[in-house]
Amino acid sequence: MSIHDYKLRIGDSWRAAEGDASFAAINPFDQATWARLPAASAADVDAAVAAARGAFDGGWGRSPGLLRATHLNRLAELLEADAERMAQLETTDNGKVIRETRVQMRFAARNYRYFAGWADKLHGETLPLDRPELLDYTTREPRGVAALVTSWNSPMAILANKLAPALAAGCTVVVKPSEVASVTTLEFAALCERAGFPPGVINVVTGGGEVGAALTGHAGIDLISFTGGTATGRAISRVAGDALKPVTLELGGKSANIVFDDASLEQAVTGAVAGIFAAAGQTCIAGSRLLVQRGLYDRVVERVCQRAAAIRLGDPRRDETEMGPVANPAQHARVLGFIERARRDGATLKVGGRAPDSAALQAGCFVEPTVFTDVAPDSELAREEVFGPVLAIIPFDSEDEAVAIANGTDYGLVAGVWTRDLARAHRMAGRLRVGSVWVNTYRASAAQAPFGGVKASGFGRERSHHALDEYLDIKNVMIDLGEELRDPFALRT
């Protein structure tokens, strides 16, 4: 297999990192090096920020919305046409099964189309004031150069959540993908070039945490959007706070999937299995806690365990594979560590719990689909994000108890509720301290629906028209239309 050497995208050129520094892209299925990526330096970050600033000041920040929409729609067309190749690259890079990465490419394209529709509709308001001789209006203006930092589990989908509204708003960007999965971001930058975006509007730098720190701490950055772990989110928030820069954080989760006695058993079990084992559990919205009311508890446990044990592990590039590896050896060790500590803490292992011993899988970072029962609500497994295919099933008796358990973590990203009782569904939606509630479904997404968390899951919103607010400032303009000069010491409000 040939190894492709990638370059940074800065301004109008593709260039090697300073000193030709590079690092390997590793396929988590077989641990083979399949690409080499540029390891950017602080000087490379400086150049990327300068290019973004030049493009913003040079016209993109004042460009007509129709022009931005035209480029965004063209980008969506190119991504749709290239979806299969991009999906194969992303699956090779992070181990997510091909069936899901194909869907994510189409969903990313949908986001670019959605925000293209907003690009020429970012109007302000005319405001009636108490004094009729004053004309007052607002404008919505792009904030400037945005640092977009994405994670390895869904690079293209997460980038679309940020880049689409940033471009629609008129911002320019410097993108820093995770060093674990950078290939599709660099390939996508080539699609952006073909879509006609002016040089410097979209720049990509790759490398480790030091590159992210150089970018988010750069004086030339006007706003930051980050998706990733809560610890890194806290560090970025401190940097942004010191510099008084706006920041959007989409962080971790420990989401509860709550099944009531009146729920459809098959529907709830399907939602529970998909909620935790899709993407090998490597998603911030994973339903890693399954809360089940006592009347349905035994049947749910039995069905979930049967389904988990039957999941087909294998090469994520093959259509028949249902779950691939976790993305890297460090994450593999981390997930197995959570499993071992849960067993020591007294939880009952029902299914899985180890790396598979199949010769075909031994080279990869595989963890069997794992199910625990007898999980204490205050235990590590019930409170901390594993980011792997590990499910904790917890019984409850009453609605109040379900709410208390669900809200009993530091996180607040999403929750699922399974019930036929519409009144209960509304009550639960109102009581759960999360950014999104799914009722009788799970892991559903839409470009029009806002996404984001509360508490340690972050703040700010992605997708929907609310995402545009993260990239726009509101300016107020007040004009005195009167002809006479008034007393400057008179009340002016």
Side-chain angles (χ1 to χ4, degrees), residues 150-292:
T150 61
S151 62
W152 45 259
N153 56 323
S154 297
M156 284 295 94
I158 291 170
L159 179 59
N161 288 345
K162 304 176 187 303
L163 182 60
L167 296 176
C171 292
T172 58
V173 305
V174 180
V175 181
K176 193 278 178 188
S178 168
E179 65 274 22
V180 175
S182 298
V183 168
T184 48
T185 303
L186 289 165
E187 292 277 357
F188 184 74
L191 297 184
C192 295
E193 184 179 13
R194 289 173 55 194
F197 287 95
V201 171
I202 302 162
N203 308 273
V204 180
V205 293
T206 54
E210 68 281 0
V211 180
L215 177 60
T216 56
H218 199 286
I221 292 295
D222 297 307
L223 68 151
I224 303 166
S225 181
F226 170 77
T227 294
T230 300
T232 304
R234 287 194 177 98
I236 290 174
S237 185
R238 286 192 291 269
V239 169
D242 287 343
L244 296 177
K245 293 178 182 178
V247 60
T248 300
L249 299 176
E250 198 273 282
L251 307 176
K254 191 64 185 176
S255 301
N257 227 340
I258 306 168
V259 181
F260 287 93
D261 285 346
D262 67 337
S264 164
L265 177 61
E266 288 306 314
Q267 188 182 24
V269 167
T270 297
V273 171
I276 183 59
F277 299 124
Q282 298 170 111
T283 171
C284 55
I285 59 175
S288 54
R289 293 182 297 158
L290 183 60
L291 279 52
V292 186

Side-chain angles (χ1 to χ4, degrees), residues 274-438:
I276 183 59
F277 299 124
Q282 298 170 111
T283 171
C284 55
I285 59 175
S288 54
R289 293 182 297 158
L290 183 60
L291 279 52
V292 186
Q293 201 164 20
R294 296 277 182 186
L296 213 55
Y297 180 80
D298 290 339
R299 284 186 287 169
V300 167
V301 170
E302 179 184 12
R303 298 285 185 91
V304 167
C305 289
Q306 288 173 349
R307 295 276 295 274
I311 291 173
R312 292 190 299 272
L313 306 182
D315 186 340
R317 294 166 294 189
R318 295 183 177 274
D319 286 337
E320 63 269 22
T321 299
E322 294 177 324
M323 197 179 91
V326 297
N328 58 77
Q331 186 63 18
H332 186 251
R334 183 176 185 273
V335 173
L336 292 175
F338 267 100
I339 292 171
E340 180 57 32
R341 291 192 298 276
R343 297 176 71 171
R344 290 203 307 261
D345 288 346
T348 299
L349 179 65
K350 302 290 287 187
V351 173
R354 61 192 178 94
D357 54 13
S358 165
L361 303 178
Q362 282 185 340
C365 299
F366 284 91
V367 177
E368 293 176 337
T370 299
V371 179
F372 280 100
T373 59
D374 302 313
V375 178
D378 61 350
S379 65
E380 179 191 56
L381 187 62
R383 293 179 59 85
E384 297 299 326
E385 184 177 41
V386 178
F387 221 65
V390 182
L391 179 65
I393 306 182
I394 302 171
F396 69 89
D397 291 303
S398 67
E399 197 173 299
D400 286 345
E401 185 182 8
V403 170
I405 296 172
N407 289 342
T409 76
D410 292 336
Y411 298 101
L413 191 57
V414 301
V417 176
W418 302 85
T419 180
R420 291 187 175 97
D421 185 334
L422 183 59
R424 171 185 283 153
H426 284 296
R427 286 196 304 272
M428 292 295 293
R431 298 179 70 187
L432 293 167
R433 292 197 62 206
V434 294
S436 297
V437 178
W438 289 306

